[in-house]
C-alpha cells in the first residue's frame, strides 16, 4: 500500500471521532489535507461543523471542499484538532513544522480540548530528532538568536547544524506570519520538554516545533492496519 493511501486511512479513522456541531482545528500538511477532503464529504452529506484552519493552504482546501470556517477571534475554544506530525514519540511528544505552519498549528492545538495526530507509521520514533526541528524566528537579529539557540541546545545536551529554510524558488521561506524558519539537525533529543522550555524563552524565537503535552491520541496507519495510541 502506498504512503498516500495510508495517510488517507489515518484521516478516515480520525473522522470517526467527529460529531455533529463540533468546532474543529484543521491541520496543515499532506495527511491533514486528506482529513479536510473527507470532512468536506461529510459536510455535503449534512454534517454541521465549523473549522479553524492552521494555514492559508488549509483555508483554501477547506473552502474548496465546502467546510465552513471561523477564527479564534470569533470562538476562543475548539472541541478537537486533527493534524499530522513529522515525528511522534511514545509519550506523544511531536515534532511539527515541516510544512512551515507550526505557529498557527500550536495556537490552534492549545485552544482545543483534544488533539488527534494522524500519520502513517513511519512517523513513529523511539526518540525525537531524526527529523530536523523547525524553529520559527524573527529575521531581525538572527545571528544573536541562533547563538542563543546554540546555547540552549548545549544546555539540553544536543547539538547540530542550523539551516535557514529555503523555498522551492531558492529564496528564504517565509511563514504565513511573515517569519523565517531555522531547521536544526539535532539527531536525537533526549529531553524534549527541557529543550522546548529553553527555546521558548529566547526573544527572537517566535515558536518551535516541539509539541509537548498537546497530542491526546495518535492514529497511525501501516501495512498491518490502524494503530491508536493514547497519551500516557
Amino acid at each position: 500500500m502506498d504512503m498516500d493511501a495510508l495517510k488517507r486511512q489515518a484521516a478516515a479513522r480520525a473522522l470517526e471521532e467527529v460529531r455533529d456541531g463540533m468546532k474543529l482545528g484543521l491541520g496543515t500538511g499532506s495527511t491533514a489535507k486528506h482529513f479536510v477532503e473527507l470532512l468536506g464529504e461529510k459536510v455535503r452529506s449534512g454534517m454541521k461543523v465549523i473549522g479553524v484552519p492552521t494555514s492559508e493552504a488549509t483555508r483554501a482546501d477547506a473552502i474548496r471542499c465546502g467546510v465552513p470556517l471561523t477564527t479564534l477571534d470569533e470562538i476562543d475554544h475548539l472541541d478537537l484538532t486533527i493534524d499530522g506530525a513529522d515525528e511522534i514519540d511514545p509519550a506523544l511528544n511531536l515534532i511539527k513544522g515541516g510544512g512551515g505552519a507550526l505557529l498557527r498549528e500550536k495556537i490552534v492545538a492549545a485552544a482545543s480540548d483534544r488533539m488527534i495526530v494522524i500519520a502513517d507509521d513511519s512517523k513513529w520514533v523511539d526518540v525525537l530528532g531524526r527529523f530536523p526541528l523547525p524553529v520559527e524566528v524573527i529575521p531581525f537579529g538572527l545571528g544573536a538568536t541562533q547563538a542563543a539557540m546554540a546555547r540552549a541546545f548545549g544546555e539540553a545536551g544536543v547539538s547540530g547544524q542550523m539551516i535557514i529554510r529555503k523555498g522551492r524558488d531558492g529564496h528564504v521561506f517565509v511563514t504565513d506570519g511573515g517569519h523565517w524558519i531555522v531547521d536544526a539537525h539535532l539527531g536525537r533529543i533526549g529531553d524534549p520538554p527541557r529543550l522546548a522550555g529553553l527555546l521558548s524563552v529566547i526573544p527572537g524565537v517566535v515558536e518551535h516545533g516541539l509539541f509537548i503535552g498537546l497530542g491526546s491520541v495518535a492514529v497511525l496507519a501501516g501495512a498491518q492496519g490502524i494503530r491508536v495510541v493514547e497519551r500516557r
Side-chain angles (χ1 to χ4, degrees):
M1 183 174 292
D2 66 39
M3 206 64 79
D4 210 47
L6 293 177
K7 292 174 180 180
R8 200 166 184 88
Q9 279 189 12
R13 174 62 181 81
L15 186 61
E16 295 175 14
E17 302 298 316
V18 176
R19 301 287 177 265
D20 217 45
M22 275 190 167
K23 295 171 285 188
L24 302 172
L26 306 176
T28 293
S30 56
T31 312
K33 183 182 178 80
H34 283 297
F35 177 81
V36 171
E37 290 173 350
L38 292 169
L39 180 64
E41 293 175 8
K42 288 282 192 180
V43 168
R44 291 192 294 276
S45 298
M47 177 178 273
K48 304 294 186 191
V49 296
I50 195 161
V52 173
T54 54
S55 65
E56 295 307 311
T58 297
R59 177 185 302 281
D61 285 337
I63 290 169
R64 173 176 57 82
C65 295
V67 178
L69 297 178
T70 186
T71 70
L72 288 177
D73 297 312
E74 299 295 325
I75 55 171
D76 60 6
H77 150 264
L78 300 171
D79 299 300
L80 177 64
T81 284
I82 298 92
D83 204 349
D86 298 300
E87 284 190 341
I88 310 165
D89 78 7
L92 296 200
N93 296 317
L94 315 172
I95 287 182
K96 289 180 52 56
L102 62 147
L103 175 59
R104 294 188 187 184
E105 288 173 335
K106 193 173 284 189
I107 291 170
V108 168
S112 305
D113 287 342
R114 298 170 67 224
M115 177 188 186
I116 297 178
V117 186
I118 53 177
D120 64 85
D121 60 6
S122 71
K123 303 299 194 298
W124 183 264
V125 297
D126 291 332
V127 180
L128 296 181
R130 180 180 61 197
F131 190 90
L133 174 65
V135 182
E136 189 162 342
V137 297
I138 294 172
F140 177 82
L142 181 59
T145 299
Q146 286 186 289
M149 287 169 57
R151 290 192 293 273
F153 294 153
E155 286 186 50
V158 296
S159 65
Q161 188 178 16
M162 287 183 268
I163 298 173
I164 298 169
R165 187 179 297 183
K166 300 287 181 67
R168 291 177 182 170
D169 60 3
H171 295 109
V172 173
F173 177 87
V174 180
T175 69
D176 286 341
H179 309 124
W180 293 4
I181 289 180
V182 174
D183 289 309
H185 296 251
L186 302 175
R188 292 173 65 88
I189 302 171
D191 190 345
R194 175 163 169 73
L195 179 56
L198 290 166
L199 290 173
S200 291
V201 298
I202 297 172
V205 170
V206 180
E207 193 49 86
H208 55 77
L210 288 168
F211 282 51
I212 309 298
L214 289 171
S216 307
V217 176
V219 177
L220 302 158
Q224 307 304 314
I226 296 285
R227 182 162 64 109
V228 178
V229 182
E230 296 195 15
R231 189 171 79 227
R232 297 197 297 262

